[in-house]
Amino acid sequence: MTVPALGSVDATAVELRPGRRLRSARLGTARYFLRRLGFYAVAAALAVTLNFLIPRLMPGDPASALIAQMQQKQTLSGDQVHAIYRLFGTPGEPLWDQYVTYLNQVLHFNFGISVAYYPTPVWEVIRTGLPWTVGLVGLTSVLSFVLGTAAGVVSGSRVGSRFDSFMTPASMFMGSLPFFWVALILVLVFGVQLSWLPTSGGYDGDMLPGFNGPFLASVLQHGILPALTMVMASVGGWLVGMRNMMVTTVSEDYVLLARAKGLSKARVMFQYAARNAVLPSVAGFALTIGTVVSGQLLVEIVFAYPGVGYLLYQAVSSVDYPLMQALFLIVSLSVLAANFIADSVYGLIDPRARETRS
Amino acid sequence: MSASVHRKHSLRRLKLPPNPKVRIGIAIFVFFALLALLGPFVVQNVMGLSPSDVDTAQAMELPSAEHLLGTTATGEDVFAQLVVGSRISLLVGLVAGVITTTLSVLVGVAGGYLGGRADSFLTAATNVCLVIPGMPLLIIVASYVQGRGGWLTVALVIGLTAWPWGARQKRAQTLSLRHRDFVSAAEMTGESRWGVITRELIPSLAPIISVSFLGAVVGSMFADAGLSFMGLGNINITSWGSMLYWAQNAGALTRGAWWWFVPPGACIALIGVAAGLINFGIDEISNPRLRKPSKEVRARARAARLHAAAGGSAAKATAGKPAPVQEAAS
């Protein structure tokens, strides 16, 4: 997955509607949020529907494959067989009826029983993985955004400086590497060769999870390498995007004026230039969430980190269709929710965004 | 990327730009293309190596003269696998890249040019597809497909899920071309809308399309490697992704067998870097301010600063500083 050059893509995304009367600001804000909410509702509906259609459109018969798989472990009762067929669509039942049944199940978080973790319900399995992934994604994406953007400000305010000539190529290089391979290298260097850090799991296996010092320390220790991978892979994109916007902004008249007023360099750099240059990056933040989550799924597999990515891996390797289906749905909906939040924040800080078409 | 792509210059612009970053990037691509085309022949027929000959007596060996990159847990030659595997990895990237680019051009250019309801619909579709995370979708579809159809299916699935980014970008570029004179002129001469799109707009967008095609190829190779790494896709055909899968499966990591999983990942990474270089170089071409100022300019700026410092005037010091601006004006 390539990290797109943020500056170049999103600068063009802002199209002002000419010849349109400015409505009162508050009304505009409300309309903006409603429009975004509508958009994400459509996206969520598509995700739910895709999740319904994919197993039914696929060649072959996943239900039979699943039954064969499960019968290796235990004999299935007629009820269980019936439940599996219902999950993938009862043959003969109209598609619409199946869809209604499916929606009803989704609304009640009823995703069936997991094969890989038999007989735990799928939702129970997912619930154990969700906090790990959300924690890691949230922490690392905010961290790399802040670090990358700050470095981009410094880099972009003086193109060709020593900092810039090192950081820009370096971060561009880092950003062009596949996430999961970087993870493999880190495991090799810090885990196997130097044995400084643990290379798998989310905490020490002989510990009981709970809110106490040793456990949290263990969680932190196990999180360092996965977090480092995520930050290394995504910090460069923010740096380059911010740098490129910054370069354009520092030559604007208001920055020149601020400088002429004799304000300190740091103040001009951060309060005048960076404040405006950061807007495309913030707008782009929402769109990168999906990419980051996608990358993290693979990174979790390398580290056997107990999040949804590792669960997905387990589900794939044991042909656990119910778990797989539900994971896709949950990941998609979480990404959409995160997108909506990021979009709303952007709408709050940039009034112009509220006047644009979605 | 600059919007000022004039039609007359579009073909000339496709020539190799003088930017060193772009040239290095293209050189890396050419190298791997040649490797995929000729490499397997050289390795198998000239050097007599096999990527699949199992030899348990020589398992997990360090790189040596006999095995340039060592051997796997079952004694296969890693170097032979690397060279032979390049073909499938590149092929998946190429086919998926073609599908992605075709779809994104069709959706993006049509939306941007037609405007109105068609555009609203296409833009909404693009944005919705953009926010649904690609990798989980790929994983789900690939695991139902279960290797049926081999690499072609994987390429198809990647291509069908990766188009929205490009479509968005091409729509924005088309919007900036829509009201140019050459488009109006073509419309006046009675060119159909389809004709305007294929004969006027798409050629004008050629430089952007070719760059985003490279990006799509690399993105697809990353996705393919990720899928294979999970054991989905083509793990029984030698490719860089399947090498990573088998290495991970045999515990190459914990056994410190770096020669097994570092080379295939490094090849993928190198191609990623090449795409990054080209992207970055193109940005520099279209926005000269992003370039590091030339030695001459920097020397002049330093002289000006020294001069100002000697004069003791703060105002002069700031005025002499932004040298890149002068360069941009040229």
Side-chain angles (χ1 to χ4, degrees):
Chain A
M1 248 128 266
T2 43
V3 178
L6 289 168
S8 50
V9 173
D10 288 290
T12 50
V14 180
E15 308 141 23
L16 290 167
R17 260 189 181 178
R20 186 158 197 219
R21 265 188 309 122
L22 287 172
R23 268 177 260 96
S24 83
R26 201 174 297 160
L27 206 70
T29 314
R31 271 189 73 113
Y32 172 77
F33 285 118
L34 278 179
R35 205 183 280 143
R36 297 316 290 162
L37 199 63
F39 169 75
Y40 284 107
V42 172
L46 182 75
V48 171
T49 309
L50 263 180
N51 196 46
F52 167 78
L53 285 178
I54 287 171
R56 286 165 178 81
L57 290 179
M58 282 299 140
D61 186 357
S64 305
L66 184 65
I67 289 167
Q69 175 80 13
M70 287 177 80
Q71 269 167 343
Q72 289 172 0
K73 295 186 184 175
Q74 79 274 331
T75 42
L76 294 175
S77 68
D79 268 359
Q80 280 169 312
V81 172
H82 180 70
I84 292 164
Y85 272 117
R86 216 180 52 188
L87 183 69
F88 293 100
T90 320
E93 201 184 346
L95 207 61
W96 179 249
D97 290 348
Q98 292 183 33
Y99 191 54
V100 172
T101 317
Y102 160 80
L103 284 182
N104 194 30
Q105 286 169 344
V106 169
L107 276 178
H108 294 93
F109 296 100
N110 172 15
F111 300 112
I113 307 283
S114 163
V115 180
Y117 298 87
Y118 190 82
T120 320
V122 166
W123 176 238
E124 290 296 317
V125 177
I126 294 179
R127 245 183 26 193
T128 60
L130 218 47
W132 295 95
T133 298
V134 171
L136 196 60
V137 166
L139 188 75
T140 56
S141 47
V142 170
L143 201 65
S144 48
F145 178 79
V146 171
L147 284 178
T149 305
V153 171
V154 178
S155 229
S157 50
R158 262 190 72 193
V159 175
S161 67
R162 204 171 292 164
F163 181 81
D164 177 50
S165 355
F166 174 74
M167 286 307 284
T168 306
S171 57
M172 195 202 68
F173 175 75
M174 290 305 309
S176 325
L177 305 178
F179 281 31
F180 71 99
W181 185 68
V182 174
L184 289 172
I185 301 291
L186 288 180
V187 168
L188 179 76
V189 175
F190 294 103
V192 179
Q193 302 289 345
L194 300 169
S195 20
W196 285 354
L197 290 163
T199 56
S200 70
Y203 53 90
D204 254 332
D206 44 2
M207 270 184 189
L208 273 176
F211 266 102
N212 51 54
F215 178 74
L216 291 180
S218 170
V219 166
L220 220 57
Q221 204 190 12
H222 282 74
I224 292 177
L225 283 185
L228 188 65
T229 311
M230 300 301 298
V231 171
M232 273 168 75
S234 51
V235 77
W238 297 121
L239 190 151
V240 174
M242 187 63 188
R243 172 189 184 262
N244 291 359
M245 269 313 287
M246 203 53 195
V247 167
T248 317
T249 316
V250 284
S251 55
E252 298 276 345
D253 288 344
Y254 64 86
V255 177
L256 191 67
L257 176 69
R259 220 187 271 154
K261 281 199 290 192
L263 298 177
S264 77
K265 256 190 185 167
R267 186 140 182 228
V268 173
M269 204 158 48
F270 284 97
Q271 293 208 333
Y272 285 75
R275 258 178 94 161
N276 289 287
V278 80
L279 291 174
S281 284
V282 177
F285 189 80
L287 286 175
T288 58
I289 293 171
T291 320
V292 171
V293 169
S294 297
Q296 183 170 327
L297 298 182
L298 290 167
V299 170
E300 281 183 10
I301 295 168
V302 175
F303 291 103
Y305 200 73
V308 292
Y310 192 58
L311 287 178
L312 191 57
Y313 179 61
Q314 304 275 310
V316 166
S317 29
S318 53
V319 208
D320 188 349
Y321 287 122
L323 183 56
M324 230 157 30
Q325 290 285 126
L327 279 169
F328 169 67
L329 192 66
I330 298 296
V331 170
S332 307
L333 294 183
S334 312
V335 167
L336 291 180
N339 265 308
F340 176 64
I341 294 169
D343 248 8
S344 307
V345 171
Y346 179 59
L348 282 179
I349 46 179
D350 188 1
R352 282 173 303 178
R354 288 173 234 149
E355 286 301 319
T356 65
R357 260 148 46 114
S358 57
Chain B
M1 258 149 270
S2 159
S4 62
V5 185
H6 197 275
R7 191 182 174 216
K8 268 185 186 168
H9 297 293
S10 65
L11 282 176
R12 209 190 310 156
R13 278 220 178 181
L14 273 182
K15 278 188 190 160
L16 211 52
N19 185 298
K21 289 195 178 98
V22 176
R23 292 193 161 201
I24 296 171
I26 290 176
I28 296 175
F29 268 109
V30 170
F31 169 76
F32 277 107
L34 288 176
L35 183 78
L37 215 59
L38 308 173
F41 173 75
V42 172
V43 164
Q44 288 170 317
N45 300 4
V46 180
M47 295 167 73
L49 294 171
S50 161
S52 52
D53 269 0
V54 172
D55 180 4
T56 39
Q58 291 190 317
M60 284 289 199
E61 278 195 12
L62 276 161
S64 63
E66 197 189 344
H67 298 289
L68 286 174
L69 287 171
T71 58
T72 69
T74 44
E76 297 142 313
D77 188 89
V78 174
F79 177 72
Q81 288 197 336
L82 190 71
V83 175
V84 173
S86 67
R87 196 172 269 185
I88 289 293
S89 293
L90 251 71
L91 205 57
V92 171
L94 216 59
V95 172
V98 168
I99 299 172
T100 305
T101 312
T102 310
L103 282 175
S104 67
V105 168
L106 284 179
V107 173
V109 176
Y113 175 62
L114 296 176
R117 237 179 246 171
D119 182 35
S120 305
F121 174 75
L122 290 175
T123 309
T126 306
N127 286 339
V128 166
C129 294
L130 196 64
V131 289
I132 291 179
M135 197 68 200
L137 183 61
L138 263 181
I139 291 171
I140 292 285
V141 175
S143 59
Y144 279 115
V145 175
Q146 280 181 341
R148 267 187 291 255
W151 62 267
L152 193 63
T153 320
V154 175
L156 205 71
V157 174
I158 295 174
L160 289 176
T161 50
W163 58 271
W165 265 114
R168 206 176 131 104
Q169 183 199 16
K170 270 147 224 149
R171 173 177 176 268
Q173 294 295 337
T174 308
L175 282 178
S176 77
L177 289 180
R178 191 167 72 177
H179 297 298
R180 298 286 176 83
D181 289 344
F182 70 90
V183 176
S184 314
E187 281 167 346
M188 297 291 189
T189 59
E191 187 81 270
S192 68
R193 288 198 282 198
W194 179 245
V196 172
I197 290 177
T198 53
R199 276 193 283 276
E200 305 293 331
L201 290 172
I202 291 180
S204 305
L205 291 168
I208 290 158
I209 293 173
S210 52
V211 169
S212 80
F213 170 67
L214 282 184
V217 169
V218 175
S220 308
M221 291 180 65
F222 277 32
D224 174 52
L227 281 182
S228 302
F229 178 67
M230 287 189 79
L232 296 164
N234 43 356
I235 48 167
N236 291 319
I237 317 169
T238 305
S239 74
W240 294 339
S242 70
M243 287 175 76
L244 289 169
Y245 169 78
W246 291 113
Q248 161 96 349
N249 232 22
L253 265 175
T254 43
R255 292 156 85 172
W258 54 267
W259 60 87
W260 191 356
F261 65 84
V262 171
C267 286
I268 299 169
L270 203 58
I271 289 181
V273 170
L277 281 171
I278 293 174
N279 226 330
F280 205 61
I282 298 278
D283 271 355
E284 280 183 0
I285 292 171
S286 57
N287 186 358
R289 285 182 214 157
L290 299 176
R291 258 178 260 159
K292 189 175 169 173
S294 69
K295 268 190 187 152
E296 195 194 327
V297 174
R298 270 181 290 163
R300 229 189 300 145
R302 203 178 311 125
R305 268 204 304 278
L306 283 175
H307 178 76
S313 155
K316 261 190 192 167
T318 44
K321 197 184 145 202
V325 180
Q326 290 170 313
E327 205 190 4
S330 62

Coordinates of all heavy atoms in Angstrom, one line a residue, chain A residues 135-166:
Chain A
G135 N -5.9 0.3 20.8 CA -4.9 1.0 21.6 C -3.6 1.3 20.7 O -3.1 2.4 20.7
L136 N -3.2 0.2 20.1 CA -2.0 0.4 19.3 C -2.1 1.3 18.1 O -1.3 2.2 17.9 CB -1.5 -1.0 18.8 CG -0.1 -1.1 18.3 CD1 0.9 -0.8 19.4 CD2 0.2 -2.5 17.7
V137 N -3.3 1.2 17.4 CA -3.5 2.1 16.2 C -3.6 3.5 16.7 O -3.0 4.4 16.1 CB -4.8 1.7 15.5 CG1 -5.2 2.8 14.5 CG2 -4.6 0.4 14.7
G138 N -4.4 3.7 17.7 CA -4.7 5.1 18.2 C -3.4 5.7 18.6 O -3.0 6.8 18.2
L139 N -2.6 5.0 19.5 CA -1.4 5.6 20.0 C -0.4 5.9 18.9 O 0.2 7.0 18.8 CB -0.8 4.6 21.0 CG 0.5 5.1 21.8 CD1 0.0 6.1 22.8 CD2 1.2 4.0 22.4
T140 N -0.1 4.9 18.0 CA 0.9 5.1 17.0 C 0.5 6.1 15.9 O 1.4 6.8 15.4 CB 1.3 3.7 16.4 OG1 0.1 3.1 15.8 CG2 1.9 2.8 17.3
S141 N -0.8 6.1 15.6 CA -1.1 7.1 14.5 C -1.0 8.5 15.0 O -0.6 9.4 14.3 CB -2.4 6.7 13.8 OG -3.4 6.5 14.8
V142 N -1.4 8.7 16.2 CA -1.3 10.1 16.8 C 0.1 10.5 16.9 O 0.6 11.5 16.6 CB -2.1 10.2 18.1 CG1 -1.8 11.5 18.8 CG2 -3.6 10.1 17.9
L143 N 0.9 9.5 17.5 CA 2.3 9.7 17.7 C 3.1 10.1 16.4 O 3.8 11.1 16.3 CB 3.0 8.5 18.3 CG 4.3 8.7 19.1 CD1 4.1 9.6 20.3 CD2 4.9 7.4 19.5
S144 N 2.8 9.3 15.3 CA 3.5 9.5 14.1 C 3.0 10.8 13.4 O 3.8 11.5 12.8 CB 3.5 8.3 13.2 OG 2.2 7.8 13.0
F145 N 1.8 11.1 13.6 CA 1.2 12.3 13.0 C 1.9 13.5 13.7 O 2.4 14.4 13.0 CB -0.3 12.4 13.2 CG -0.9 13.7 12.7 CD1 -1.1 13.9 11.3 CD2 -1.2 14.8 13.5 CE1 -1.6 15.1 10.8 CE2 -1.7 15.9 13.1 CZ -1.9 16.1 11.7
V146 N 2.0 13.5 15.0 CA 2.6 14.7 15.7 C 4.1 14.8 15.4 O 4.6 15.9 15.0 CB 2.3 14.5 17.2 CG1 3.1 15.6 18.0 CG2 0.9 14.7 17.5
L147 N 4.8 13.7 15.5 CA 6.2 13.7 15.2 C 6.5 14.1 13.8 O 7.3 15.0 13.5 CB 6.8 12.3 15.5 CG 7.0 11.9 16.9 CD1 7.6 10.4 17.0 CD2 8.0 12.8 17.6
G148 N 5.8 13.4 12.9 CA 6.1 13.7 11.4 C 5.8 15.1 11.1 O 6.5 15.8 10.3
T149 N 4.6 15.6 11.6 CA 4.2 17.0 11.2 C 5.2 18.0 11.8 O 5.6 18.9 11.1 CB 2.8 17.3 11.7 OG1 1.9 16.2 11.2 CG2 2.3 18.6 11.3
A150 N 5.6 17.8 13.0 CA 6.6 18.7 13.7 C 7.9 18.7 12.9 O 8.4 19.8 12.6 CB 6.8 18.4 15.1
A151 N 8.3 17.5 12.5 CA 9.6 17.5 11.8 C 9.4 18.1 10.4 O 10.3 18.7 9.9 CB 10.0 16.0 11.6
G152 N 8.2 17.9 9.8 CA 7.9 18.5 8.5 C 8.0 20.0 8.6 O 8.4 20.7 7.6
V153 N 7.5 20.6 9.7 CA 7.5 22.1 9.8 C 9.0 22.6 9.8 O 9.3 23.5 9.1 CB 6.9 22.5 11.2 CG1 7.1 24.0 11.4 CG2 5.4 22.2 11.1
V154 N 9.8 21.9 10.6 CA 11.2 22.3 10.6 C 11.9 22.1 9.3 O 12.6 23.0 8.8 CB 12.0 21.5 11.7 CG1 13.4 21.8 11.8 CG2 11.3 21.7 13.1
S155 N 11.6 20.9 8.7 CA 12.2 20.6 7.4 C 11.8 21.6 6.3 O 12.6 22.1 5.5 CB 11.8 19.2 7.0 OG 12.8 18.4 6.6
G156 N 10.5 21.9 6.3 CA 9.9 22.7 5.2 C 10.2 24.2 5.3 O 10.2 24.9 4.3
S157 N 10.5 24.6 6.5 CA 10.8 26.1 6.7 C 12.2 26.4 6.2 O 12.4 27.6 6.0 CB 10.5 26.5 8.1 OG 11.2 25.7 9.0
R158 N 13.0 25.4 6.1 CA 14.3 25.7 5.4 C 14.7 24.5 4.6 O 15.4 23.6 5.0 CB 15.4 26.0 6.5 CG 15.6 27.5 6.7 CD 16.8 27.8 7.5 NE 18.0 27.6 6.8 CZ 19.2 27.5 7.5 NH1 19.3 27.6 8.8 NH2 20.3 27.3 6.8
V159 N 14.3 24.6 3.3 CA 14.7 23.5 2.4 C 16.2 23.5 2.2 O 16.8 24.6 1.9 CB 13.9 23.7 1.1 CG1 14.4 22.6 0.0 CG2 12.4 23.6 1.3
G160 N 16.8 22.4 2.2 CA 18.2 22.3 2.0 C 19.1 22.4 3.2 O 20.3 22.3 3.1
S161 N 18.5 22.7 4.4 CA 19.2 22.7 5.6 C 19.7 21.3 5.9 O 19.3 20.3 5.3 CB 18.4 23.2 6.8 OG 17.3 22.3 7.0
R162 N 20.6 21.2 6.9 CA 21.2 19.9 7.2 C 20.1 18.9 7.7 O 20.0 17.8 7.3 CB 22.3 20.0 8.3 CG 23.3 18.9 8.3 CD 24.4 19.2 9.2 NE 25.3 20.3 8.7 CZ 26.2 20.9 9.5 NH1 26.3 20.5 10.8 NH2 26.9 21.9 9.1
F163 N 19.2 19.4 8.5 CA 18.1 18.6 9.0 C 17.3 18.1 7.8 O 16.9 16.9 7.7 CB 17.2 19.4 10.0 CG 16.1 18.7 10.6 CD1 16.2 17.9 11.7 CD2 14.8 18.8 10.0 CE1 15.2 17.2 12.2 CE2 13.7 18.2 10.6 CZ 13.9 17.3 11.7
D164 N 16.9 19.0 7.0 CA 16.1 18.7 5.8 C 16.8 17.7 4.9 O 16.2 16.7 4.4 CB 15.7 19.9 5.0 CG 14.9 19.6 3.8 OD1 13.9 18.9 4.0 OD2 15.2 20.1 2.7
S165 N 18.1 17.9 4.6 CA 18.7 17.0 3.7 C 18.9 15.6 4.2 O 19.1 14.7 3.5 CB 20.1 17.5 3.2 OG 20.4 18.7 3.7
F166 N 18.8 15.5 5.6 CA 18.9 14.1 6.1 C 17.5 13.5 6.2 O 17.2 12.4 5.8 CB 19.6 14.1 7.4 CG 19.6 12.7 8.1 CD1 20.3 11.7 7.6 CD2 18.7 12.5 9.1 CE1 20.3 10.4 8.2 CE2 18.6 11.2 9.7 CZ 19.4 10.2 9.2

